[in-house]
């Protein structure tokens, strides 16, 4: 396998696990709000890292397998869970424009800022001053929690879908609806129609 194909295979693997995170968030739904939020953050983080890795492939493309894996690991660890830095380093206007849109009362830029806090909340009992709470727009003494908002789903899915579009357009790396259906079906072995429902929501059909 040539070096370009090897790198693209790695990128598709990152995309694949990101899509699986989005799917799990969709299946968990509102009864598992914190677990759902965990997988939404992870989906965004991983799919943005997939795009960053493709943009920075010259840093590891010609390495042998072990050196390449170590370099990829180092690049991804540079970002940790810093979604703001990941978004910034994409240097992509289409992704940046998503930050100015409203998602059920939450601006994309605010959700990017809050996603690391949401990630922490989904795993630990955090102090109130470290929570993702946002002051209510109308009632000053009240706060709202993005972790319970449908806007969080919509924003995270919008980021995921946009990165897929960009990877296809800029690098001819494609993961179509049919590929996602097969990936989820093979991984989770479900007999219900949740995969089809997820794809309809994710691709806004």
């Amino acid at each position: 396998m040539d070096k370009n194909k090897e790198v693209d295979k790695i990128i598709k693997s990152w995309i694949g696990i990101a899509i699986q995170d989005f799917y799990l968030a969709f299946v968990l739904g509102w009864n598992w709000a914190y677990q759902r939020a965990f997988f939404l953050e992870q989906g965004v983080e991983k799919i943005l890292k997939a795009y960053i890795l493709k943009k920075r492939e010259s840093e590891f493309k010609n390495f042998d397998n072990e050196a390449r894996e170590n370099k990829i690991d180092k690049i991804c660890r540079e970002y940790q869970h810093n979604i703001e830095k990941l978004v910034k380093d994409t240097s992509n206007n289409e992704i940046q424009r998503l930050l100015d849109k409203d998602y059920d009362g939450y601006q994309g830029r605010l959700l990017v800022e809050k996603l690391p806090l949401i990630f922490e909340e989904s795993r630990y009992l955090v102090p109130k001053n470290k929570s993702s709470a946002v002051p209510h727009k109308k009632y000053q003494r009240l706060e709202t929690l993005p972790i319970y908002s449908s806007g969080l789903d919509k924003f995270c899915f919008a980021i995921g879908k946009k990165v897929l579009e960009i990877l296809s357009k800029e690098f001819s790396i494609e993961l179509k609806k049919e590929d996602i259906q097969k990936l989820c079906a093979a991984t989770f072995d479900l007999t219900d129609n949740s995969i089809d429902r997820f794809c309809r929501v994710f691709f806004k059909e």
Side-chain angles (χ1 to χ4, degrees), residues 141-185:
R141 294 185 179 182
L142 297 181
E143 295 178 323
T144 63
L145 289 169
I147 204 166
Y148 292 108
S149 170
S150 58
L152 182 63
D153 302 64
K154 292 177 181 178
F155 174 70
C156 292
F157 284 6
I159 289 283
K161 184 181 177 183
K162 181 56 67 178
V163 172
L164 287 182
E165 291 173 0
I166 294 167
L167 283 169
S168 175
K169 183 167 55 178
E170 293 185 3
F171 303 111
S172 298
I173 295 178
E174 290 190 303
L175 204 66
K176 297 179 180 179
K177 174 185 172 183
E178 295 76 17
D179 301 318
I180 291 173
Q181 288 173 316
K182 290 177 182 177
L183 174 69
C184 292

Side-chain angles (χ1 to χ4, degrees), residues 19-35:
I19 294 297
Q20 289 172 3
D21 285 337
F22 287 139
Y23 170 68
L24 284 171
F26 175 80
V27 171
L28 286 169
W30 297 105
N31 290 331
W32 299 85
Y34 283 84
Q35 292 80 2

Side-chain angles (χ1 to χ4, degrees), residues 98-115:
L98 294 178
L99 306 188
D100 295 323
K101 292 186 176 181
D102 179 86
Y103 301 87
D104 292 350
Y106 294 95
Q107 190 184 43
R109 197 172 305 280
L110 175 65
L111 291 173
V112 163
E113 175 189 327
K114 295 294 184 179
L115 268 172

Side-chain angles (χ1 to χ4, degrees), residues 42-54:
Q42 282 291 286
V44 169
E45 181 180 325
K46 290 169 187 170
I47 208 159
L48 286 171
K49 284 179 176 177
Y51 182 53
I52 294 292
L53 287 172
K54 182 59 182 176

